[in-house]
Amino acid sequence: MIQRIQSVFLLLLALSMLAMLFLPLWSKTDATTGEEVVLTAWNINSYMPANAAEGTPVKSAIAIGMLAIAAAAIALYEIFQFKNRLNQMKLGLLNTLVLAALLGTSFYYAAYVGAELVKADNNGAYEAGFYFPMLGLLLNALANRFIKRDEDLVRSVDRLR
């Protein structure tokens, strides 16, 4: 039963959370000094124009990385709980909460912690990794919908017996 469509959605969710660990989430550049601050899943790096190749970690953002790993682990565990659909739905609800916390934490680090490091007029740019929690929420909702559909189908067949 691993070949169900919700398993595909959950696998894509886990892959998107793992991809988030390696992509930048947010960046902001000061036009006067040329300093650039980049938020990743693990820390906030500051790049000066003189040594742009190596960034120095300014602050830790390990909460983002840990929440992304937790969401991926829950999704992978949820795939193999196909014999207990009610347990899968509970894990889906838990994963929704973890993904919402991940989205909120990412926004907090981008809008408040990272924005204070560079005194530029712009708000910064949200990079590709920032949008993966939103994709994860969508994939989790689709997986939960198909899990519920399977559970409703099994219950309707039980009524016919």
Side-chain angles (χ1 to χ4, degrees), residues 72-90:
I74 291 170
L76 289 175
Y77 180 68
E78 189 178 348
I79 290 173
F80 296 105
Q81 294 296 309
F82 58 87
K83 290 184 181 178
N84 191 351
R85 284 173 299 282
L86 293 176
N87 194 21
Q88 266 189 321
M89 287 192 281
K90 291 176 189 174

Side-chain angles (χ1 to χ4, degrees), residues 111-158:
Y112 296 108
V113 177
E116 292 176 358
L117 295 175
V118 175
K119 302 298 181 200
D121 293 336
N122 61 359
N123 292 333
Y126 292 105
E127 302 288 338
F130 184 80
Y131 299 105
F132 279 122
M134 289 179 247
L135 175 66
L137 281 170
L138 175 69
L139 291 170
N140 194 42
L142 288 171
N144 286 341
R145 179 178 177 192
F146 283 103
I147 292 168
K148 173 114 174 65
R149 185 180 289 173
D150 280 356
E151 181 64 23
D152 291 344
L153 179 66
V154 168
R155 287 185 184 212
S156 70
V157 169
D158 285 344

Side-chain angles (χ1 to χ4, degrees), residues 1 5 7 21 23 32 38 42 52 56 69 79 85-86 91 99 114 134 155:
M1 292 312 252
I5 188 70
S7 299
L21 296 175
L23 293 173
T32 58
V38 176
W42 302 108
T56 57
I69 289 173
I79 290 173
R85 284 173 299 282
L86 293 176
L91 287 170
L99 288 167
M134 289 179 247
R155 287 185 184 212

